Amino acid sequence: MLISCMSVCAITPETTVFGSWPGLIPAEWSKDGKSFVYFEDYDDLSHEPIHFTIYDENFQLYKDFNTVPMTEYTSTYTVEVREYCYQNAESYGSEYYTGYDIININGETTGLSIERVQSYLYALNGKNYEIAKLSDGSEVLASEYYEPDNYGNKYPMWYYREINGVWHYCEQNYRGSGDMGYYGKWLDPEEVTITSWTMPVDVTYMNYADDHQLYLSRGLFSEEFNYVVTKYEPRSFQEEKKNGNGEIAYKAWGTRYELTGFDVYDDSGKVLMTFDIPSEYIVRYSDLYLFKLGYNRFATIPVKDGDDKEYQIVYRIDANNTVSFVTAAPTSKISPRNPKRGENVTVSLDSSIGEGAMVQVVSASGQIMLNSKIPAGQTQLDINTSGFNHGVYVVNVSNNGSSKEAAKIIVR
C-alpha cells in the first residue's frame, strides 16, 4: 500500500549555517565556562575572515560581528645581489660560420698570419681583436667573450678563426655546466617594492588531545569575543645573506614595514592590548600559542634573531587578563637600535648593574669596537658610531665578568 504525502506530510527543513568550517571555543577558555561554536565568512581576495557568526550551547545564534578592515602597507627599499655563475661553461650548439664572411686583404685570402689579420681588423674598424684560444687550443681573434666579468677571456663568443687556410668570422654559444656554482660580480642595486597587510591570526589552544586552532576566543582579554590581528610598523633595516661558501650574496637596506607584534580586538573593533615584539627579533610566522601550566596561563610567539636563531617569546596572562613578559625586565636599556652612522647609541643602566659595569661593542666579524668601564656613580654611557661601518653589532653589558644584557644594533 502506498501512502501519499502530498498534503499531510511535513518535510523538516535542515539547519544550514553560512560560512566555513566551525571553530570550537572550549568552555575551559571561555569567561563564563560555556562553550561556543563560530563560523567564519572569508574575503574572496585575501581569504581572511571578515565576519564571525557565533552560536551557544543550544546552537542558538548568540552574536555576529565584522572584523576590522584589512590595512595594506607598501614598502620600497634597495636590494643588491651577486650574479650566480657556473663553475664551467660548455659549447651550446655548433660553431657557426659561412663561406662568405671571410678576410680578404688586397685580394689575398689564404696564407694570412694572425698578426696581419689583427692589424687589418684594427685598421678597418678601429676595434682591437685580441688573440685568444678555444677549448681545443686553436688561436682566434676574439671581440666578445661569454660572461667576461665572471670567466674573463676564457670563452670567445664572436671571433675570426682560420679554417682550411682561410680566416672566417665565427659565432659560438655557451651555457653553464657542472654542479659547482659560484657568485660573480655584484649587479646594480635595484628598488624593490613589496606589499604587506594586516590579517587575523591563528590562536592555537594547547593542552588538548587535539589542539584547537582558532581565530576567535572569549574571555582571554575581556568578557567579549576577542581576535588577534597582525601589527606592522616602518623600521630601518640593513641585512645580508651568505651563500654556501660563506660569501655575501645578497644585500638589502632602507625602510620597510615589518611585522612588529599583534593587536587584540574585541567584537566592537576596540584594541584591548598589544603584543609588542622587541626590535632585535623577527616574527617567524604569525601565530599565537596559548597553554596552561597548572592554573597559570601563558602565550608564546615564535621569533628569530638577526643570526636566524629561533626562539619563543613567552607571556603570562594573569587572573585579570593582563599580559606581561615571563622573563625579568632587562637591567639596561640600549637606544636607538638602528642608528645612523655617526649617531650616538645610549646605554642606560639601572641600579642592579652595580658599580664597575663594563660595556663592550663587538662587530659581526668579532672585532671589539669598544670596551669601556662605567665610572662609579654614573648610569649612562654614550657610544659614538662614527668609526663603525654599516652593519650589525652586539652591545654587551656585564659586571664582574657576568653578562647582564646583550642586544644587537644595526648601524645604517
Side-chain angles (χ1 to χ4, degrees), residues 32-332:
D32 53 8
K34 295 181 180 180
S35 301
F36 293 88
V37 66
Y38 68 89
F39 297 83
E40 308 136 11
D41 182 19
Y42 281 84
D43 180 81
D44 292 336
L45 295 178
S46 68
H47 303 291
E48 300 299 331
I50 57 175
H51 184 88
F52 292 115
T53 306
I54 305 164
Y55 295 83
D56 64 15
E57 293 176 336
N58 295 315
F59 213 87
Q60 298 299 305
L61 179 63
Y62 187 86
K63 180 178 287 190
D64 68 318
F65 61 90
N66 294 324
T67 65
V68 294
M70 182 179 67
T71 303
E72 186 175 285
Y73 300 99
T74 301
S75 305
T76 300
Y77 55 89
T78 306
V79 169
E80 187 178 17
V81 298
R82 294 181 73 179
E83 187 176 42
Y84 184 79
C85 310
Y86 289 93
Q87 190 69 32
N88 300 298
E90 63 182 9
S91 298
Y92 181 60
S94 302
E95 180 183 57
Y96 172 79
Y97 66 93
T98 70
Y100 304 102
D101 192 3
I102 62 176
I103 296 295
N104 186 323
I105 304 177
N106 299 325
E108 295 182 63
T109 57
T110 59
L112 301 174
S113 67
I114 191 170
E115 291 78 12
R116 188 179 178 190
V117 174
Q118 186 182 39
S119 299
Y120 170 77
L121 292 172
Y122 184 79
L124 182 66
N125 53 32
K127 189 173 184 178
N128 183 31
Y129 283 74
E130 299 178 344
I131 298 177
K133 285 188 177 182
L134 299 179
S135 57
D136 63 2
S138 303
E139 286 191 332
V140 299
L141 290 169
S143 60
E144 299 289 343
Y145 299 89
Y146 175 67
E147 295 192 7
D149 291 324
N150 302 311
Y151 297 106
N153 297 347
K154 188 175 180 181
Y155 301 109
M157 295 180 63
W158 298 303
Y159 51 87
Y160 283 89
R161 178 185 183 185
E162 187 180 19
I163 302 174
N164 297 325
V166 178
W167 286 87
H168 291 261
Y169 178 76
C170 303
E171 295 181 10
Q172 179 75 271
N173 293 320
Y174 298 91
R175 63 182 175 186
S177 66
D179 297 329
M180 293 293 293
Y182 70 95
Y183 288 80
K185 66 177 181 179
W186 284 100
L187 301 180
D188 292 334
E190 293 184 355
E191 295 296 311
V192 172
T193 299
I194 62 172
T195 301
S196 307
W197 54 87
T198 58
M199 65 182 70
V201 305
D202 283 326
V203 177
T204 301
Y205 295 85
M206 315 296 287
N207 299 100
Y208 296 96
D210 295 316
D211 297 335
H212 293 271
Q213 192 174 58
L214 305 175
Y215 282 114
L216 200 62
S217 65
R218 182 171 187 259
L220 177 59
F221 303 102
S222 75
E223 295 188 11
E224 304 303 323
F225 289 93
N226 316 131
Y227 57 100
V228 183
V229 177
T230 51
K231 174 187 176 184
Y232 289 85
E233 292 180 354
R235 284 184 176 175
S236 299
F237 78 101
Q238 180 176 341
E239 65 182 20
E240 297 176 344
K241 296 180 182 179
K242 296 183 179 181
N243 58 33
N245 297 325
E247 301 173 299
I248 297 174
Y250 169 92
K251 297 178 182 179
W253 62 91
T255 301
R256 66 185 176 192
Y257 281 95
E258 294 183 351
L259 178 56
T260 60
F262 303 100
D263 286 327
V264 180
Y265 287 83
D266 66 12
D267 52 31
S268 70
K270 177 184 177 181
V271 176
L272 302 176
M273 186 168 296
T274 296
F275 287 86
D276 282 321
I277 308 300
S279 60
E280 62 265 33
Y281 296 107
I282 301 171
V283 178
R284 282 158 48 199
Y285 39 87
S286 55
D287 284 335
L288 185 70
Y289 294 90
L290 301 176
F291 57 92
K292 287 187 176 182
L293 297 177
Y295 294 101
N296 298 315
R297 295 180 297 170
F298 299 91
T300 67
I301 296 174
V303 298
K304 64 181 181 179
D305 64 10
D307 298 323
D308 282 338
K309 293 182 179 179
E310 297 181 353
Y311 301 92
Q312 293 277 341
I313 296 180
V314 185
Y315 305 83
R316 182 190 298 274
I317 306 171
D318 67 16
N320 296 319
N321 290 324
T322 57
V323 175
S324 60
F325 288 109
V326 170
T327 54
T331 55
S332 63

Side-chain angles (χ1 to χ4, degrees), residues 1-6 8-9:
M1 181 176 67
L2 298 177
I3 299 177
S4 173
C5 292
M6 293 181 60
V8 298
C9 296

Side-chain angles (χ1 to χ4, degrees), residues 317-384:
I317 306 171
D318 67 16
N320 296 319
N321 290 324
T322 57
V323 175
S324 60
F325 288 109
V326 170
T327 54
T331 55
S332 63
K333 181 180 179 181
I334 300 170
S335 178
R337 297 294 181 92
N338 301 100
K340 294 181 179 178
R341 188 178 181 184
E343 183 180 0
N344 281 351
V345 174
T346 300
V347 180
S348 301
L349 313 178
D350 68 21
S351 58
S352 65
I353 288 287
E355 295 183 357
M358 297 291 298
V359 176
Q360 184 184 73
V361 181
V362 183
S363 70
S365 64
Q367 180 183 1
I368 297 177
M369 308 298 297
L370 174 74
N371 198 14
S372 180
K373 187 175 182 178
I374 307 295
Q378 294 189 18
T379 59
Q380 182 172 304
L381 177 70
D382 290 329
I383 303 171
N384 187 271

